[in-house]
Amino acid sequence: LWVMIKVASLTKRYGEIEALRRVEFDVASGDIVGLLGPNGAGKSTTIRCLTGFFHPDEGEITVDGLNVLERPSEVQARVGYLPENTPLYSDMTVQGYLRMIADLRGVPESEKLALISGAVFATGLDQRLTQPIGQLSKGFRQRVGIAQAILHRPRLLILDEPTIGLDPTQVVEIRNLIKSLASHSTILFSSHILSEVEAVCDRVIILINGEVKADARLEELAQSQDATLVLQENVEGVEKNLLSLSGVNQVVPLRTSEGYAEFRVVGESKFDLCPAVFDVVRREGWSLRELRRDVRTLETVFTELVNSA
């Protein structure tokens, strides 16, 4: 696959503060990648370096095979960018603003109508073209921001909090739009709303304190070696019997409101512990209520990484 973004040893300092510390990642063409992290993690700095707005102190960034530092204008022509707070001109109409963006982007006159229309219909702005942007709701202003970012059909689309201020129906529409845009754009998607990232992205990169702490596809992050065992009643020897199994390094009793005996069986490798646990349950004659392999959510993984930083 063609590598759309390649970041190598990216370091950025503000005085004595190291905002990014040897950050490295690649993004393949056509991927939708979530860039996550708590406030101050380095997400915005990474995006500004990618777009050529900031110059890194060390490292190298290429976008679509072009070095961002050496050929910033060519890179920016390939990038569509929706910042968290999109700079819009409130006295301009939607149509006038998008025509201005097309002019600034150097879109040929022969292509303007088709490209502007495509962006307008993709974002549901067709009934708002003659309205001044200042009279639009926050949700529709956000759509104008997305329309300007996708107008020139960029090779790389960077979206910073694209669903902020939208109602639930609009959020679903923007999710579907983002997925459809992946047919011709690679998408880097930054958001604080983890459920949004899970719904839209194929892969996540988690930044904490200026460093990449996780870089994996969502299904890989969700994998867990732990099992949950629920018995009808508490019996002796549960922890001792389970700890004797190969691959088990901890058995944690859990409280349940229903009065059942529940345990988390923690494994040290990624194989499924459930068959071995079931064999013990059957051998010992325990009354089994439930046995399942745990599946971690993105929120669980994110919280663990933040708490361990």
Side-chain angles (χ1 to χ4, degrees), residues 288-305:
L288 178 65
R289 180 173 179 83
E290 185 179 358
L291 175 61
R292 67 179 185 272
R293 186 175 181 177
D294 282 352
V295 177
R296 301 192 300 169
T297 64
L298 180 57
E299 184 176 357
T300 307
V301 175
F302 185 81
T303 303
E304 286 173 2
L305 289 170

Side-chain angles (χ1 to χ4, degrees), residues 19 25 56 75 83-84 101 108 164 201 204 228 245 250 260 262 296:
F25 61 86
V75 168
E84 185 175 353
I101 294 297
I164 195 167
C201 298
V204 294
T228 296
L245 292 172
Q250 192 180 10
Y260 304 116
E262 185 171 341
R296 301 192 300 169

Side-chain angles (χ1 to χ4, degrees), residues 178-189:
I178 291 169
K179 288 177 181 176
S180 70
L181 292 171
S183 62
H184 58 76
S185 298
T186 303
I187 299 172
L188 192 64
F189 176 98

